[in-house]
Amino acid sequence: MADVKISETIEFLTQIHTSWDNNEQRAALRTRPRRRISYEYIGTETWQSQYLRSLVYAQQTQMFQIPLWHAADRLGHKLYQSQAMVKLNSENIWQWRGCSGCNIWRNDRYGGTYYPLVGFTASGEVGLGKQVDTDIEKGTVAISPVAWGVLSQSDSYVNMTGSVTSLNISVELMREAEAPVLPTALDAFHNETEPVLHGKNLPAEHNGYELFLKSPNWVNNMNAKFSRNANRLDNQSGAFLYDLKSSAPTETRELEYTISCRSEINNLQRFFTRMKGRARSFYAPTWLADIELIEPGASAGDTAFLTKYPFYWKYYANNNRRKKAIVFFKDGTAQIIDIAGYTTDNTGDFGKVVLEKPLAFALSTKNVVMISYLCRYRLDNDAMVMNYETVDVANTAFTLMEVNQ
């Protein structure tokens, strides 16, 4: 059996040219991402197993329609005969993008009824291309979008008995010209409301680039690695030298997310879509305690503050990175500060962070949760994989790579 029962993949394609000093020139080669889904099916009856094996054996490159089960929802209100509209929660509509039909599903034995789609509204109304032929009570059926797709080039299945088969089907969805367009209020550039834990007072952008403040779940360790931008000149038999191309190393870190509501799932997919995979950069915290204040902190109007670690000047003074920090406060707000440079105090025992402009707020050790560096990152993968536990709970991971622009 497959470990992942339901997964969705969104994939862009980016061309990257890296200069000698590690600056990048990036170009997105796809205007829209490719989208794949993977479902595990278990045929518990003989005819079901026969159907699964026949599907992957004979379908090959032929297009077929498949319900997006991870986007399904229970009908929240009664449908009446001759009605041609279904009301859903607006956060459900994002997953319907590129789909030209829907399925009102009763059960595995009876099946469901297919309805073409004619449009959406920002408040969640779904217009159907034909009328409902009978009354349907609230909560008795599930409704899900239906998309056209093709099977992947290879599939495998496990025969548990002569009648029971487990099969993981991977389908690449085909965006349809007939599919209704999402309303502007629900497209990739409009996030849905979700709980904000950090930086709830900050704008969506900083210096013209998106500010990504989604914190990792910390269930597992946050893995990070560094690469130095230098060539080692070594003739293998004598002295070696380094050819330093730039003084700024590159940090790559992996952030894991466990998401517990559809709005968060949709917003992470929207963010990935806006960034077009690896094509665009953004600002994000390191989510580490990079700077530790000396008590009692700093007052509004100060142009510098003292830190416990005295050697920032030794490692961060010679490059343009690590020149922004974000201060997280206990009330859920945050502030961004620009750093002019690093030095030490008169004793040499403490570090001193010199600011580009005076503080507009006080930094109290009693009120500050953490001070992290605010770095310029891009995503280091053109594919985003969302693994679903339920329709509302999913896991994914982003790999962030530090860049100059």
Side-chain angles (χ1 to χ4, degrees), residues 10 18 26 50 86 107 118 122 129 160 178 210 242 263 268 338 340 342 366 373 393:
I10 303 172
T18 305
R26 302 181 293 270
Q50 291 170 347
V86 179
N107 52 57
V118 296
M160 303 173 186
E178 301 83 7
E210 187 155 343
Y242 279 106
S263 294
L268 274 181
D338 293 313
Y342 303 95
K366 297 180 179 180
Y373 283 121
V393 179

Side-chain angles (χ1 to χ4, degrees), residues 102-123:
C102 71
N103 187 19
I104 295 181
W105 184 263
R106 293 185 180 273
N107 52 57
D108 289 346
R109 176 63 63 180
Y110 176 85
T113 304
Y114 175 82
Y115 293 87
L117 299 178
V118 296
F120 309 107
T121 67
S123 57

Side-chain angles (χ1 to χ4, degrees), residues 287-309:
W287 299 111
L288 303 175
D290 293 311
I291 298 175
E292 189 175 7
L293 289 172
I294 292 292
E295 292 186 0
S299 303
D302 288 352
T303 58
F305 57 83
L306 298 181
T307 64
K308 290 186 178 181
Y309 182 64

Side-chain angles (χ1 to χ4, degrees), residues 303-317 323 339-355 373:
T303 58
F305 57 83
L306 298 181
T307 64
K308 290 186 178 181
Y309 182 64
F311 298 117
Y312 291 109
W313 63 270
K314 188 174 182 180
Y315 303 103
Y316 299 129
K323 292 300 189 293
I339 299 171
Y342 303 95
T343 183
T344 61
D345 70 341
N346 294 332
T347 66
D349 294 330
F350 300 109
K352 189 175 185 179
V353 177
V354 182
L355 307 177
Y373 283 121

Side-chain angles (χ1 to χ4, degrees), residues 140-161:
T140 59
V141 299
I143 183 169
S144 61
V146 175
W148 285 93
V150 293
L151 289 172
S152 62
Q153 290 296 99
S154 61
D155 282 300
S156 61
Y157 57 86
V158 176
N159 296 313
M160 303 173 186
T161 68

Side-chain angles (χ1 to χ4, degrees), residues 41 66 84 88 108 112 130 143 157 160 169 191 209 270 273 346 348 354 370 388:
Y41 290 90
I66 183 170
L88 302 177
D108 289 346
K130 65 178 182 179
I143 183 169
Y157 57 86
M160 303 173 186
I169 294 180
N191 284 333
Y209 293 89
R270 283 183 168 101
T273 302
N346 294 332
V354 182
M370 184 172 66
Y388 290 87

Side-chain angles (χ1 to χ4, degrees), residues 269-287:
Q269 290 186 345
R270 283 183 168 101
F271 171 75
F272 183 82
T273 302
R274 290 193 298 271
M275 295 303 105
K276 292 186 178 296
R278 300 186 296 166
R280 295 175 180 171
S281 63
F282 53 91
Y283 284 104
T286 61
W287 299 111

